[in-house]
């Protein structure tokens, strides 16, 4: 019974607690609602909407608080709600007190600034201003306001600065440690080399000393039995020089050894008194010369010879000391850290603003219109997704069962009319999705700045040295491409559509990603004005080529370089440039000596292919096709741009060997099919809007290209010039390019001969070449003289007219009808 009574009491106590908690909660909620009502009434009264009572209350509040009265309703409701919601929490009480103090400080600030702080602000300033002055009151008021804000928010204003400062210090310390370690390693290597040079110098000095001893032995045998008298005259006698008369039969070298035991100071003076070079030259003279110069040997002459012997020994030691000093100086010079490539700071580029795309309300309205338009034509669809990009929004439609995709495509003009859009593009279906995409231009385009893409994780995490930021896709995600995987790129579009900006973003991306040791650039710019700004950057192998004739030479050099690299790969038994570089890096310094080092990747950028095809179509097309077919494994990549996407410029061979394409806005579907083998580019908006179609994509992707201004490009180039000094170009490549250009310039590829009889300049050389090979074909002439098919065929016809070769015999080579003597006689008579 007792236990039952205790249980009953516990239940009653628990029930009372629950009732008390519930009643307290209800009371708090009632207070909050009443406070809200009071706050709203105060707010209405302040703005003159509270009637007579509200006007009186408003007048009192303005007298008390001035302009701060506008904050009173919000402070009242916020403070009461916050305290009731956090009852019993000391931190909540402290924050509420800080909020009230902040209100007082605001009234004080308004009183100081506008004299509208009311009675409260006037009272505070009346105390502080006489005590610390107006300026001091401003300082104290602002500092206390910041402290109150920190207490209320719980966030430190200096925390971010401290963290960033710590990060910057940590990075600087790591860089310093890395540089110090690198410098120590280099210093050790140079010291070892200097030590080796010193040992070699000592060996040479010993050999020199040995030769001089042998020479003196031969002279000693020649003058045996003759006494030496080195007594000087009274006028020329020095206190440091003594008379030396060795006894007969005593070895000259024993006396010499005794003489050499001089104090260090005397030895030093003897070395400094004589020039070592004289001793060296003297020691190398043959014995016969010495005998001719000294036919009679007296005592004075023997003393002179003895002095010269000492001088020779001391000279050899001086040479060794000098070699050691030179080696040490060389080691110190080499130990100094070389100027490393510094990536330009990202602050040189403009940061984009977080604005872009249409509002959600506009997107929903457009989706509704689109759905209604299709429904009116009997096509029922469901809009499953909307992707808003920088310039275009894609609406993904899922048609009902039984609706043909072609029916939606056929309604393109009707959709454009109902949406009042400039142009739309329909992707039917979207690759990998059971939906049709309708791309509608945005009302306001957002600029995609290159800096935002370079700071993205996709670009930073890319391991390739020739990755570049292409732009943002239809969903606004960064698109980063790797030129090495393309492996060659064709960029085409109408004038002003964004090709040159795309090329600039590609180059700037490489400059921010790779050092000159890893990537080299060759730029060909027949338009002269687009790429010439990059002259002087360390990545360039030669100055920017602006002459179309020199461009053919640069491409031919690239072909020759490709073949050299393949020979190296075969020699070292590797497949591509990656394997070769890994093999060379794993070699020891001894194995690497005398062998080629790391091979850089080469990117050849042609900004206008049409101009090159006009000047030298045969040479340019042949070189581009050979590079496109073979250069991938050699680490050579092509980027070709043109504003005239016609079959005369983008020939079938070039197109077949360049699998990656970027199509900008063009004027017709024919040009679009020339670039990407399908329509679509004619519906692009321009200003960087592109169809990105690298190898591996099933269909082109709509991408808004990145933008980089001329001012940003100039800033990056100036920084690189300043940091890396004057650019060093390859003289070998420049010479080869100029020689090829001069051969093209003497006889333009198409017509004109060197002689007055209408024959080609290569007529005589071609005749001798064919007679020597004993067979004739047009292809042989093309390969030998690096000319186009038309010119080679014309030379062959001229040789046939002259009787050097026979007529055509189908696919067989022509017969050679003249001997070398007959041809030379023909040349003398007719040319």
């Amino acid at each position: 019974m007792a236990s039952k009574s205790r249980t009953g009491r516990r239940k009653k106590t628990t029930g009372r607690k629950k009732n008390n908690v519930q009643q307290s909660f209800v009371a708090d909620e009632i207070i909050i609602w009443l406070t809200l009502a009071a706050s709203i009434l105060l707010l209405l009264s302040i703005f003159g909407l509270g009637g007579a009572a509200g006007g009186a209350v408003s007048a009192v509040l303005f007298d008390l608080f001035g302009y701060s009265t506008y904050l009173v309703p919000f402070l009242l409701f916020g403070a009461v709600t916050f305290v009731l919601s956090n009852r019993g929490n000391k931190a909540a009480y402290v924050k509420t007190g800080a909020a009230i103090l902040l209100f007082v400080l605001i009234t004080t600030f308004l009183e100081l600034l506008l004299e509208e702080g009311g009675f409260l602000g006037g009272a505070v300033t009346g105390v502080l201003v006489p005590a610390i002055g107006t300026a001091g009151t401003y300082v104290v008021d602002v500092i206390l306001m910041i402290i109150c804000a920190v207490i209320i928010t719980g966030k430190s204003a200096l925390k971010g600065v401290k963290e960033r400062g710590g990060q910057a210090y940590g990075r600087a310390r790591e860089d310093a440690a890395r540089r110090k370690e690198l410098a120590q390693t280099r210093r050790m290597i140079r010291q070892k080399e200097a030590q080796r040079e010193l040992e070699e110098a000592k060996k040479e000095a010993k050999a020199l000393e040995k030769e001089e001893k042998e020479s003196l032995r031969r002279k000693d045998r020649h003058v045996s039995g003759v006494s030496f008298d080195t007594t000087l005259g009274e006028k020329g006698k020095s206190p440091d020089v003594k008379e030396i008369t060795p006894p007969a039969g005593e070895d000259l070298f024993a006396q010499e050894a005794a003489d050499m035991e001089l104090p260090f100071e005397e030895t030093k003076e003897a070395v400094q008194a004589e020039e070592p070079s004289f001793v060296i030259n003297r020691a190398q003279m043959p014995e016969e010369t010495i005998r001719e110069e000294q036919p009679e040997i007296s005592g004075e002459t023997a003393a002179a010879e003895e002095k010269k012997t000492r001088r020779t020994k001391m000279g050899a030691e001086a040479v060794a000391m000098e070699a050691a000093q030179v080696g040490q100086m060389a080691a110190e010079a080499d130990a100094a850290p070389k100027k490393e490539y510094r990536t330009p700071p990202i602050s040189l580029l403009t940061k984009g603003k977080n604005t872009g795309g249409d509002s959600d309300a506009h997107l929903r309205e457009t989706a509704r219109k689109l759905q209604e338009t299709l429904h009116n034509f009997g096509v029922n669809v469901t809009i499953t997704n909307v992707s808003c990009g920088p310039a275009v929004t894609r609406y993904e439609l899922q048609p009902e069962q039984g609706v043909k995709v072609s029916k939606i495509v056929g309604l393109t003009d009707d959709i454009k009319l109902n949406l009042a859009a400039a142009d739309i593009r329909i992707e039917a279906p979207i690759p990998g999705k059971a939906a049709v995409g309708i791309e509608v231009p945005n009302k306001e385009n957002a600029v995609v700045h290159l800096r935002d893409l370079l700071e993205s994780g996709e670009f930073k995490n890319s391991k390739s040295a020739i990755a570049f930021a292409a732009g943002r896709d239809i969903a606004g995600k960064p698109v980063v491409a790797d030129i090495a995987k393309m492996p060659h790129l064709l960029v085409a579009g109408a004038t002003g559509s964004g090709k040159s900006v795309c090329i600039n973003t590609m180059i700037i991306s490489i400059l921010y990603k790779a050092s000159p040791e890893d990537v080299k650039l060759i730029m060909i710019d027949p338009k002269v004005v687009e790429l010439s700004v990059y002259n002087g950057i360390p990545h360039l192998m030669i100055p920017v080529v602006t002459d179309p004739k020199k461009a053919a030479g640069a491409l031919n050099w690239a072909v020759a370089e490709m073949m050299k690299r393949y020979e190296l790969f075969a020699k070292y038994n590797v497949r591509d440039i990656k394997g070769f570089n890994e093999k060379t890096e794993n070699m020891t310094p001894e194995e690497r000596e005398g062998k080629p080092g790391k091979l850089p990747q080469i990117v050849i950028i042609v900004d206008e292919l049409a101009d090159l095809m006009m000047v030298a179509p045969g040479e340019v097309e042949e070189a581009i096709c050979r590079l496109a077919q073979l250069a991938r494994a050699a680490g050579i990549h092509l980027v070709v741009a043109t504003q005239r996407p016609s079959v005369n410029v983008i020939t079938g061979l070039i197109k077949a060997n360049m699998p990656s394409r970027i199509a900008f806005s063009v004027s017709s579907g024919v040009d679009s099919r020339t670039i990407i083998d399908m329509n679509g580019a004619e519906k692009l908006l321009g200003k960087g809007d592109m169809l990105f179609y690298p190898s591996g994509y099933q269909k082109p992707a709509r991408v808004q290209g990145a933008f980089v201004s001329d001012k940003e490009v100039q800033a990056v180039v100036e920084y690189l010039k300043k940091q890396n000094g004057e650019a060093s170009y390859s003289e070998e490549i420049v010479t080869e390019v100029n020689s090829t250009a001069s051969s093209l310039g003497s006889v333009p590829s198409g017509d004109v001969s060197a002689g007055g009889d209408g024959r080609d300049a290569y007529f005589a050389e071609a005749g001798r070449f064919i007679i020597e090979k004993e067979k004739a074909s047009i292809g042989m002439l093309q390969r030998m003289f690096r000319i186009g098919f038309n010119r080679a065929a014309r030379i062959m016809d001229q040789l046939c007219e002259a009787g050097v070769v026979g007529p055509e015999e189908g696919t067989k080579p022509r017969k050679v009808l003249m001997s070398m003597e007959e041809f030379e006689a023909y040349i003398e008579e007719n040319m």
Side-chain angles (χ1 to χ4, degrees):
M1 291 294 292
S3 62
K4 286 183 181 181
S5 63
R6 283 196 296 270
T7 304
R9 284 198 297 271
R10 285 197 200 99
K11 287 182 180 180
K12 288 180 182 180
T13 305
T14 305
R16 283 196 212 99
K17 287 182 180 179
K18 287 182 178 179
N19 291 333
N20 292 336
V21 171
Q22 188 172 1
Q23 290 173 1
S24 175
F25 179 76
V26 172
D28 291 345
E29 187 172 355
I30 290 171
I31 293 172
I32 290 173
W33 283 111
L34 290 174
T35 306
L36 178 61
S39 300
I40 294 173
L41 289 174
L42 283 175
L43 192 60
L44 293 174
S45 300
I46 290 170
F47 287 101
L49 303 175
V57 172
S58 175
V60 172
L61 290 176
F62 271 104
D63 289 339
L64 285 175
F65 307 120
Y67 284 168
S68 301
T69 304
Y70 293 103
L71 301 177
V72 170
F74 302 101
L75 177 64
L76 176 63
F77 178 73
V80 172
T81 305
F82 189 69
V83 170
L84 291 178
S85 301
N86 297 275
R87 182 173 292 176
N89 188 349
K90 294 181 180 180
Y93 299 149
V94 172
K95 289 187 177 183
T96 305
I100 295 172
L101 177 60
L102 180 61
F103 176 76
V104 175
L105 294 171
I106 290 173
T107 60
T108 306
F109 187 81
L110 291 174
E111 179 66 24
L112 288 171
L113 190 64
L114 305 173
E115 295 185 359
E116 290 292 345
F119 175 78
L120 180 60
V124 177
T125 54
V127 174
L128 293 178
V129 170
I132 59 176
T134 305
T137 305
Y138 268 114
V139 172
V140 171
D141 190 68
V142 172
I143 294 298
L144 290 176
M145 287 169 66
I146 294 173
I147 293 172
C148 291
V150 171
I151 294 173
I152 293 169
T153 59
K155 293 183 179 179
S156 173
L158 303 177
K159 185 178 180 182
V161 177
K162 183 178 179 182
E163 290 178 353
R164 290 176 184 172
Q167 292 174 359
Y169 174 73
R171 284 195 295 268
R173 186 172 56 187
E174 291 176 1
D175 292 342
R178 195 181 305 112
R179 291 195 191 95
K180 185 176 180 181
E181 183 179 356
L182 183 61
Q184 288 178 351
T185 305
R186 289 177 176 173
R187 194 177 296 112
M188 290 176 62
I189 294 173
R190 302 308 176 197
Q191 286 176 355
K192 289 181 181 178
E193 293 179 356
Q195 186 67 26
R196 188 165 59 249
E197 291 177 359
L198 178 62
E199 292 176 358
E200 292 176 357
K202 287 182 178 179
K203 289 180 181 178
E204 291 178 0
K206 287 182 180 179
L208 189 65
E209 183 181 353
K210 187 175 181 182
E211 290 179 2
E212 185 63 25
K213 284 183 179 180
E214 291 178 356
S215 175
L216 289 174
R217 283 196 188 99
R218 286 194 293 268
K219 284 187 287 183
D220 183 40
R221 287 195 297 269
H222 181 72
V223 297
S224 59
V226 181
S227 62
F228 293 84
D229 185 8
T230 58
T231 307
L232 300 175
E234 295 296 331
K235 295 180 180 180
K237 185 178 292 184
S238 171
D240 296 331
V241 180
K242 299 179 181 179
E243 297 183 0
I244 303 173
T245 309
E250 187 175 347
D251 190 1
L252 176 65
F253 292 99
Q255 181 65 30
E256 179 186 351
D259 292 338
M260 287 300 293
E261 294 179 359
L262 298 174
F264 177 75
E265 290 77 7
E266 295 182 14
T267 306
K268 184 176 180 182
E269 291 175 1
V271 173
Q272 291 177 348
E274 302 296 338
E275 290 289 338
S277 58
F278 172 78
V279 177
I280 294 173
N281 293 333
R282 184 69 176 174
Q284 292 177 348
M285 294 178 64
E287 183 182 357
E288 290 78 7
T289 307
I290 297 174
R291 289 178 181 177
E292 289 176 2
E293 291 179 357
Q294 301 172 352
E296 296 180 1
I297 301 177
S298 61
E300 184 177 351
T301 308
E305 287 298 326
E306 182 181 358
K307 190 175 181 181
K308 289 174 185 176
T309 303
R310 273 201 312 271
R311 191 187 307 155
T312 302
K313 285 191 175 184
M314 289 185 252
E317 295 177 2
V319 169
M321 292 172 62
E322 185 178 356
Q325 292 176 357
V326 171
Q328 186 177 1
M329 291 172 62
E332 291 176 356
D334 290 339
K338 295 183 180 179
K339 202 165 187 177
E340 297 181 358
Y341 175 74
R342 290 185 182 178
T343 303
I346 200 69
S347 59
L348 296 176
L349 303 178
T350 304
K351 189 173 181 63
K353 300 177 182 177
N354 286 328
T355 59
D358 296 333
S359 63
D360 290 348
H362 178 75
L363 295 178
R364 293 180 186 280
E365 180 65 20
T366 305
R368 185 187 61 78
K369 285 183 181 179
L370 183 60
Q371 196 168 13
E372 287 181 358
T373 301
L374 292 172
H375 179 71
N376 292 337
F377 287 96
V379 179
N380 293 325
V381 297
T382 304
I383 297 180
T384 58
N385 189 25
V386 177
S387 301
C388 184
V392 178
T393 300
R394 184 174 68 188
Y395 298 87
E396 297 182 9
L397 316 177
Q398 189 170 8
E400 287 186 352
Q401 203 73 8
V403 176
K404 290 185 177 181
V405 173
S406 59
K407 193 171 183 180
I408 299 175
V409 176
L411 296 172
T412 301
D413 294 335
D414 301 289
I415 296 171
K416 192 190 310 183
L417 175 64
N418 283 275
L419 296 181
D423 205 347
I424 65 169
R425 176 175 174 267
I426 297 180
E427 190 173 18
I430 300 172
K433 291 185 178 181
V436 176
I438 298 181
E439 298 169 0
V440 182
N442 294 339
K443 280 191 173 183
E444 295 181 1
N445 293 348
V447 179
V448 178
H449 288 274
L450 180 62
R451 174 174 174 176
D452 299 335
L453 300 178
L454 298 185
E455 290 178 336
S456 66
E458 288 83 352
F459 183 80
K460 290 181 178 179
N461 297 330
S462 176
K463 296 181 180 179
S464 174
I466 50 178
F468 74 96
R472 292 188 182 273
D473 62 8
I474 202 77
K477 294 180 181 178
V479 177
V480 177
D482 184 4
I483 298 177
K485 293 181 181 179
M486 287 188 169
H488 310 289
L489 177 63
L490 174 65
V491 183
T495 305
S497 58
K499 298 184 308 303
S500 297
V501 175
C502 179
I503 296 294
N504 282 331
T505 58
M506 199 176 301
I507 296 170
I508 296 295
S509 298
I510 293 175
L511 297 182
Y512 273 91
K513 192 73 175 175
S515 65
E517 289 76 18
D518 297 329
V519 176
K520 289 290 185 182
L521 298 174
I522 294 178
M523 300 184 192
I524 300 172
D525 180 22
K527 291 193 290 188
V528 179
V529 295
E530 295 295 343
L531 300 180
S532 298
V533 66
Y534 293 103
N535 271 325
I537 63 174
H539 294 74
L540 278 181
M541 301 185 78
I542 56 175
V544 177
V545 180
T546 56
D547 187 356
K549 296 170 186 175
K550 292 183 180 180
L555 293 172
N556 284 323
W557 173 86
V559 173
E561 175 68 14
M562 174 186 70
M563 300 312 297
K564 288 179 184 176
R565 291 191 173 191
Y566 277 123
E567 290 174 3
L568 273 178
F569 297 165
K571 181 179 178 181
Y572 287 89
N573 196 25
V574 294
R575 293 183 60 186
D576 53 14
I577 185 172
K578 184 178 179 181
F580 179 82
N581 288 338
E582 288 177 355
K583 196 162 189 175
T584 55
E585 287 176 0
N586 293 331
M587 290 181 179
T588 60
E590 292 77 12
E591 294 176 346
R592 199 178 298 143
E593 188 175 352
K595 296 180 180 178
K598 182 179 179 181
L599 295 177
Q601 292 177 295
I602 300 175
V603 180
I604 303 172
I605 299 173
V606 182
D607 192 25
E608 186 48 66
L609 180 64
D611 289 349
L612 304 186
M613 296 297 285
M614 289 174 65
V615 176
E619 291 80 358
V620 170
E621 182 180 9
E622 181 184 357
I624 288 178
C625 289
R626 289 205 68 194
L627 289 172
Q629 288 170 349
L630 301 171
R632 176 179 183 175
I636 301 175
H637 306 279
L638 279 172
V639 178
V640 179
T642 181
Q643 65 182 7
R644 202 177 79 188
S646 62
V647 292
N648 296 330
V649 177
I650 307 175
T651 63
L653 278 173
I654 293 177
K655 191 174 170 183
N657 290 296
M658 305 198 78
S660 298
R661 327 267 175 83
I662 292 180
F664 288 90
S665 177
V666 294
S667 57
S668 66
V670 176
D671 291 343
S672 178
R673 288 193 295 274
T674 304
I675 304 169
I676 55 175
D677 299 323
M678 65 179 70
N679 289 341
E682 74 278 5
K683 297 184 180 295
L684 296 176
L685 305 176
K687 296 183 180 180
D689 191 16
M690 70 171 84
L691 289 178
F692 184 60
Y693 196 11
S695 59
Y697 276 39
Q698 295 178 350
K699 276 188 176 183
R702 188 85 174 262
V703 173
Q704 178 64 36
F707 175 75
V708 58
S709 64
D710 295 339
K711 188 182 292 185
E712 295 172 65
V713 172
Q714 188 67 38
V716 173
V717 172
E718 290 298 330
Y719 177 85
L720 291 178
K721 289 181 181 178
K722 185 177 179 181
Q723 290 296 327
N724 298 279
E726 187 176 352
S728 57
Y729 300 121
S730 174
E731 295 296 334
E732 178 188 354
I733 307 175
V734 173
T735 304
E736 185 171 344
V737 168
N738 291 335
S739 63
T740 305
S742 62
S743 65
L744 286 174
S746 61
V747 183
S749 178
D751 203 358
V752 183
S753 62
D757 55 357
R759 289 198 176 95
D760 194 280
Y762 286 137
F763 175 82
E765 295 181 32
R768 295 187 185 98
F769 174 69
I770 284 173
I771 294 172
E772 183 181 349
K773 295 295 183 182
E774 296 183 352
K775 60 180 179 179
S777 69
I778 296 173
M780 288 171 56
L781 297 182
Q782 283 183 272
R783 290 190 295 274
M784 177 62 187
F785 300 107
R786 295 181 179 178
I787 56 178
F789 176 83
N790 294 335
R791 189 176 176 191
R794 191 177 301 111
I795 295 173
M796 190 63 71
D797 291 340
Q798 293 171 3
L799 292 171
C800 183
E801 291 175 4
V804 181
V805 297
E808 293 184 6
E809 297 181 4
T811 57
K812 296 180 181 179
R814 301 188 187 214
K815 291 182 180 179
V816 180
L817 304 179
M818 278 191 184
S819 63
M820 188 66 74
E821 293 79 10
E822 292 172 343
F823 182 70
E824 293 295 342
Y826 176 84
I827 293 294
E828 291 178 3
E829 292 175 2
N830 296 278
M831 296 186 70

